[in-house]
Amino acid sequence: LKGQFARRAVEKSYLAIVVGNPARDRFTVDAPMRLVPGSASGVRMEVAERDALPAVTEFFVRARSADHELVEARPKTGRQHQIRVHAMHAGTPLVGDKLYLRDETVFLRAIGGALDRAGIVDAVGHSRQALHAWRATLGHPDDGSPITLTAPWPEDFVELARRLGLALPSEA
């Protein structure tokens, strides 16, 4: 299994609730990424041309409301925070993302204990990033036959989608 992940032979799909509503149903972000030089948190990534590693993510809009979308994200590479950074780069940051929805201030205040759950929700719209590792397809370790594993929707994700007027796909 580890070898399949290393060879990028595992197809991964994530579901995310994002801010924004562009007029496209499918798009690809092909944008190299690196750690932000001098990042106050030490973990914030950015799209950059210099000193960056290749990163590609395909996005599929699954549902829309007035100001939000439910998207399926399929990373083709495996960079730290890739889906979050590419969603932000596309102009549709994840609801609840303390590190990328705004600047690092919310994240630093949250990890420092200066924001409680209500303060986080007030700052970024949800208590955590609205990102769910939904589906993975890989080869069975014994015979290589394809296996698709899915994870059910977390309750808070379902509630957030309903509150934002996003219809959830039946196959999820």
Side-chain angles (χ1 to χ4, degrees):
L1 293 176
K2 185 177 177 181
Q4 289 182 59
F5 279 95
R7 291 188 309 276
R8 296 187 182 132
V10 177
E11 294 178 24
K12 300 172 278 185
S13 290
Y14 296 78
L15 295 171
I17 298 174
V18 300
V19 177
N21 206 337
R24 60 188 186 259
D25 293 327
R26 177 182 182 167
F27 57 98
T28 299
V29 177
D30 184 349
M33 295 172 45
R34 69 176 181 192
L35 186 63
V36 173
S39 166
S41 66
V43 297
R44 187 173 166 111
M45 303 292 287
E46 68 181 356
V47 168
E49 293 301 319
R50 296 179 49 125
D51 303 321
L53 296 171
V56 178
T57 308
E58 293 179 332
F59 290 93
F60 304 84
V61 177
R62 303 296 298 262
R64 284 191 166 95
S65 67
D67 299 317
H68 295 85
E69 291 181 332
L70 173 71
V71 297
E72 179 179 350
R74 297 181 192 163
K76 299 303 175 188
T77 51
R79 306 291 170 234
Q80 176 177 300
H81 304 172
Q82 179 176 317
I83 294 168
R84 297 160 65 192
V85 172
H86 279 175
M88 179 185 66
H89 185 69
T92 55
L94 274 65
V95 173
D97 195 330
K98 296 178 286 296
L99 191 58
Y100 295 105
L101 186 61
R102 310 224 189 293
D103 58 28
E104 290 179 286
T105 307
V106 174
F107 177 76
L108 293 170
R109 291 182 64 216
I111 64 171
L115 285 178
D116 61 6
R117 183 181 178 96
I120 292 169
V121 171
D122 187 51
V124 292
H126 194 53
S127 61
R128 66 175 181 91
Q129 60 201 7
L131 181 64
H132 173 58
W134 172 42
R135 182 172 53 199
T137 301
L138 51 111
H140 189 284
D142 290 336
D143 63 12
S145 62
I147 299 172
T148 298
L149 307 167
T150 59
W153 297 82
E155 288 182 33
D156 68 327
F157 196 94
V158 172
E159 180 55 37
L160 177 64
R162 285 188 182 134
R163 183 168 52 85
L164 297 174
L166 292 165
L168 301 175
S170 59
E171 76 273 14

